[in-house]
Amino acid sequence: MWKFLEFFGFFWLFLVCSALASDSPPPVPREFRALWVATVNNIDWPSRPGLTTREQKEELLAIIDRAAALHLNAIIFQVRTGCDALYDSKIEPWSEYLTGKVGQPPSPFYDPLGFAIAEAHKRGLELHAWFNPYRVQSANIRHPELIRAYGKNLWLDPAEQATRDYSLSVIMDVVRRYDIDGVHFDDYFYPYPEKSGVIQSSKDLDFPDDGSWRRYQAKGGKLSRNDWRRENVNQFIELVFHSIKREKRWVKFGISPFGIWRPGSPRQISGFDAYDKLFGDSRKWLENGWVDYLAPQLYWPIDQKAQSFPVLLQWWNEQNPLHRHLWPGMRISGWHGVNDDAAEMTREIELTRKEDNSPGVILWHARPLMRNEAGLAEALGKNVYRTVALVPAYPWLTQAVPASPHLSVHPQRDDLKVEWRFTNSAPWQWLVQKKIGGKWTAEILPEEKTSETIKADSLESVAVTAINRYGNTSVPAIYHPER
């Protein structure tokens, strides 16, 4: 008899647990899904200089809305194209790409970066501010003595301590004053080589840093000139990373270098040598943990053997001893020799999901998605990003998790008003999952959104999870209506 009761007890407990499990929310995927929004040369936004404030806002909102509709979760927004500002800065002049004139603010006045942050956050998207640390679009800066003319371009000299101090001051001004989620650099460090202009010569111009080099040697410096240039960049990368963490630890630092570290790494890879030409030792930044994520620009198709997307992706993942996030920058259109852009894009995203590291990509860039070129936007929505995804967490920054929210439900005629609130410190976002008609749906909501009204006869279960600024999640609070 006792054995029967004992068995019955375990059987009853199994049924109860199974019933509860059936109404538990399914896990939401973790994947970084970001979109570059380039402002230099009006590549993505605004479509041309001189648009009205209303037109600029409408265009930017359309990009953010498209990103949200396609279940992306981050925008990489270019705010400094070259010692200019697409935000209200006291340090650098307004960008000519906004109004057509350097130093001229939008009229009626608004702050594009502040506007982009607010609108992205409303839609559950992160906003990473994208800076070019050395490039100069106009000589109209406060420190002309730092500018070097290189071919057709102007550049800040990376060897000068004053350059590091100046560019860092620009970046940290944004970190302090704006609620950004990340700081982002692309592949521009020392400039891409330019030719001498002599028809018979194919020799690259050397960067004009003779004065800086002589001063380094006079102080007893022993590095070769190329190693010295790399060390100039290394010092700045390390400085930026630690400066951000001292100010706001949750603000991520990411870099998107040229996709090939060096030709021959791995063996079948050939092409441009960013290590020797741009003096960017991107592998070292990853190995030393000076970035929270690295996004090497793997802009080549899968079947292009000399620059193969999967071969390079695997190699980069092998260079990651501290397990920082490795999310490739990915071209989404215009590959040489590729007939179906949407199919290639889909295949490459699927390949990133097979790596041991947390999956994710940064898509280059907004315009093809806005135009739905070659059905790219449709393919993203239908094939690979069918549901929302949480940004992967950053365990090296913190492993602290938020407390479960307090969940309450209030009948209102034929509806249920579901409300939730935090129980200690405020979260960054909410993950709200609802089971209706036997199917679970999920949405990511901003911290200020704390209620929803749902038809009482349709709701089978609702779960609310708190998310902090590091991507860590609470245990969900779950409500099951009486049946």
Side-chain angles (χ1 to χ4, degrees):
M1 181 66 178
W2 284 108
K3 288 187 176 180
F4 170 77
L5 291 175
E6 184 180 20
F7 170 78
F8 181 80
F10 281 123
F11 181 68
W12 177 83
L13 182 62
F14 170 77
L15 291 177
V16 170
C17 290
S18 297
L20 289 175
S22 67
D23 272 339
S24 296
V28 173
R30 291 272 191 171
E31 183 173 37
F32 195 62
R33 302 171 178 177
L35 178 66
W36 272 300
V37 178
T39 57
V40 64
N41 297 322
N42 300 101
I43 290 174
D44 289 317
W45 180 86
S47 59
R48 59 179 174 82
L51 295 180
T52 66
T53 291
R54 180 181 61 82
E55 290 169 331
Q56 289 181 16
K57 286 183 174 182
E58 286 176 349
E59 286 190 354
L60 193 49
L61 274 178
I63 293 172
I64 295 171
D65 280 337
R66 177 60 60 91
L70 294 175
H71 296 144
L72 307 186
N73 52 29
I75 296 288
I76 313 294
F77 182 54
Q78 192 173 27
V79 300
R80 188 199 200 207
T81 72
C83 294
D84 57 352
L86 284 100
Y87 59 94
D88 190 15
S89 173
K90 300 296 189 292
I91 302 174
E92 295 187 310
W94 283 97
S95 174
E96 63 185 305
Y97 301 122
L98 279 174
T99 62
K101 183 178 180 181
V102 174
Q104 182 173 310
S107 181
F109 180 83
Y110 82 111
D111 187 325
L113 177 56
F115 177 78
I117 292 169
E119 296 301 329
H121 286 177
K122 284 179 188 177
R123 293 156 177 80
L125 301 168
E126 289 191 350
L127 195 292
H128 295 219
W130 166 15
F131 299 83
N132 289 113
Y134 302 121
R135 193 167 60 194
V136 181
Q137 294 298 115
S138 167
N140 182 24
I141 68 167
R142 292 185 177 182
H143 299 284
E145 73 279 3
L146 301 176
I147 296 177
R148 306 289 180 260
Y150 178 75
K152 300 175 183 177
N153 298 302
L154 300 175
W155 221 258
L156 299 179
D157 185 352
E160 298 285 358
Q161 180 63 46
T163 291
R164 291 194 280 272
D165 294 342
Y166 177 64
S167 285
L168 181 67
S169 73
V170 171
I171 294 163
M172 294 310 299
D173 173 59
V174 171
V175 171
R176 293 185 185 103
R177 292 195 297 118
Y178 291 88
D179 190 23
I180 59 172
D181 302 289
V183 167
H184 184 90
F185 291 171
D186 56 20
D187 54 321
Y188 285 92
F189 297 100
Y190 279 82
Y192 277 85
E194 294 191 34
K195 301 300 181 184
S196 64
V198 179
I199 296 176
Q200 294 84 359
S201 174
S202 60
K203 185 179 179 180
D204 293 339
L205 286 171
D206 197 22
F207 187 75
D209 54 6
D210 289 343
S212 307
W213 171 241
R214 285 194 297 269
R215 287 193 296 275
Y216 168 75
Q217 290 181 307
K219 292 178 181 178
K222 301 300 183 183
L223 295 175
S224 70
R225 194 159 186 172
N226 283 3
D227 286 342
W228 166 73
R229 285 171 172 167
R230 275 185 288 274
E231 186 57 22
N232 293 332
V233 178
N234 290 340
Q235 288 178 16
F236 184 64
I237 297 302
E238 185 179 14
L239 176 65
V240 170
F241 177 80
H242 291 299
S243 297
I244 293 169
K245 298 312 173 193
R246 282 193 295 268
E247 186 67 31
K248 292 180 180 177
R249 189 167 179 79
W250 65 87
V251 173
K252 280 72 76 175
F253 182 38
I255 303 179
S256 181
F258 187 79
I260 299 170
W261 176 66
R262 300 211 72 178
S265 298
R267 182 173 297 178
Q268 77 181 61
I269 298 300
S270 62
F272 182 74
D273 191 344
Y275 177 90
D276 199 46
K277 298 295 185 181
L278 305 182
F279 307 104
D281 190 355
S282 47
R283 186 177 72 169
K284 182 171 186 174
W285 312 333
L286 188 63
E287 289 177 336
N288 288 352
W290 295 339
V291 292
D292 296 301
Y293 66 90
L294 197 77
Q297 296 173 11
L298 306 188
Y299 288 172
W300 304 282
I302 293 169
D303 297 329
Q304 188 166 312
K305 184 177 180 180
Q307 298 86 29
S308 169
F309 179 92
V311 171
L312 282 165
L313 179 62
Q314 180 180 347
W315 182 87
W316 277 108
N317 273 293
E318 292 168 352
Q319 315 308 309
N320 191 11
L322 298 179
H323 304 289
R324 297 300 189 248
H325 291 310
L326 200 291
W327 299 320
M330 199 185 83
R331 190 173 189 166
I332 60 174
S333 66
W335 287 278
H336 176 71
V338 172
N339 296 323
D340 189 336
D341 288 349
E344 177 74 22
M345 175 188 68
T346 300
R347 288 175 67 202
E348 292 189 6
I349 291 174
E350 293 292 354
L351 282 171
T352 68
R353 292 170 171 171
K354 296 178 181 178
E355 292 293 329
D356 293 336
N357 199 34
S358 60
V361 296
I362 306 179
L363 304 175
W364 174 256
H365 51 108
R367 186 171 57 202
L369 291 185
M370 297 306 295
R371 297 176 178 176
N372 192 27
E373 294 177 6
L376 289 167
E378 186 177 358
L380 270 185
K382 289 185 176 181
N383 298 340
V384 286
Y385 294 158
R386 290 186 289 270
T387 62
V388 298
L390 296 174
V391 170
Y394 296 78
W396 55 91
L397 298 181
T398 184
Q399 296 188 34
V401 299
S404 294
H406 175 76
L407 189 60
S408 59
V409 179
H410 310 281
Q412 294 182 341
R413 294 186 178 180
D414 296 332
D415 298 329
L416 292 175
K417 185 175 183 181
V418 182
E419 296 182 312
W420 55 89
R421 57 182 173 83
F422 55 87
T423 52
N424 49 21
S425 58
W428 157 232
Q429 292 175 325
W430 305 105
L431 170 65
V432 179
Q433 295 171 273
K434 293 172 288 188
K435 187 179 182 184
I436 296 173
K439 294 182 178 180
W440 283 95
T441 61
E443 56 185 336
I444 299 169
L445 302 175
E447 178 263 331
E448 61 268 18
K449 174 74 172 175
T450 57
S451 67
E452 276 196 20
T453 300
I454 308 167
K455 286 293 182 183
D457 60 357
S458 66
L459 182 65
E460 298 169 37
S461 191
V462 63
V464 181
T465 302
I467 309 167
N468 66 17
R469 293 301 292 256
Y470 303 92
N472 297 329
T473 54
S474 72
V475 174
I478 305 175
Y479 169 76
H480 307 293
E482 294 182 4
R483 294 179 176 84

